[in-house]
Amino acid sequence: MESLKIYIDRLKGGQSLTIDETLTSDFLDIDEEDLLFENPVRLKGEAYLANEHLIIHLDIETIASLPCSICNHPVRLPIVMKNIYLTEPLAEIKRAIFDITSEVRESILLQTPLFTECHNGKCPERESLKKFLNPLQKKSNDDIIHFPFADLDKE
């Protein structure tokens, strides 16, 4: 499994580390049937020290594959995160080596949506499901439906 390590000693004296890496998606260690990362993960940014903290500034890009919530066909979603800042106190970094792969993994997974729909939210199968999604209708005075919180957004 790939990792991206930052050596703190190389950042002393105001030095910065330019990060320009392409990692295979294996480091994401995803074992989900409905979530795939087949494309590499692209990292660009820098790492530097500031006030006893390691600061990592990154742009992260990859592509996730999820099933459409309507038709279940795979949908490829670009995951693009700009200006991600990760910080770590130097006192908590053991042996002056910091591996950022777990933080990058967490950032990607938090950015990945739980649901998606193909054709930019206009799945062609949606029409066939409409009959199952009809809104409730009032049948008589005895079947009045009350929505007690419906007026909350009108203020």
Side-chain angles (χ1 to χ4, degrees):
M1 180 165 63
E2 292 179 86
S3 67
L4 186 58
K5 294 180 181 176
I6 296 175
Y7 297 90
I8 305 304
D9 293 342
R10 296 179 185 169
L11 301 176
K12 302 270 181 180
Q15 298 291 327
S16 67
L17 170 69
T18 299
I19 300 169
D20 190 359
E21 297 286 333
T22 301
L23 304 173
T24 64
S25 59
D26 295 342
F27 81 94
L28 294 172
D29 195 28
I30 304 297
D31 189 24
E32 297 287 326
E33 184 178 322
D34 292 336
L35 177 61
L36 296 173
F37 289 92
E38 297 169 341
N39 289 53
V41 176
R42 182 87 172 119
L43 303 171
K44 280 188 165 196
E46 65 178 338
Y48 55 92
L49 299 178
N51 296 330
E52 299 300 316
H53 279 78
L54 171 63
I55 310 294
I56 304 161
H57 175 224
L58 289 174
D59 292 339
I60 305 171
E61 295 182 19
T62 190
I63 296 176
S65 181
L66 293 156
C68 172
S69 297
I70 305 296
C71 68
N72 217 27
H73 288 106
V75 178
R76 293 174 50 90
L77 292 172
I79 306 294
V80 179
M81 294 176 280
K82 300 286 184 189
N83 294 318
I84 301 294
Y85 280 90
L86 307 170
T87 64
E88 187 73 20
L90 292 178
E92 294 182 18
I93 299 175
K94 301 196 186 325
R95 299 186 195 117
I97 299 172
F98 186 67
D99 188 349
I100 68 168
T101 51
S102 62
E103 281 77 10
V104 170
R105 178 185 187 274
E106 183 178 322
S107 296
I108 291 171
L109 292 178
L110 286 172
Q111 191 67 28
T112 304
L114 296 175
F115 306 101
T116 189
E117 191 173 327
C118 63
H119 295 87
N120 293 322
K122 297 177 179 153
C123 179
E125 298 291 322
R126 184 175 279 284
E127 282 299 316
S128 66
L129 295 178
K130 261 192 174 173
K131 61 184 172 190
F132 300 110
L133 302 174
N134 281 342
L136 296 174
Q137 297 178 0
K138 184 169 62 167
K139 296 180 181 174
S140 70
N141 285 340
D142 296 335
D143 295 332
I144 295 175
I145 299 171
H146 296 280
F147 297 100
F149 303 110
D151 295 329
L152 289 179
D153 65 342
K154 293 182 181 179
E155 290 183 29

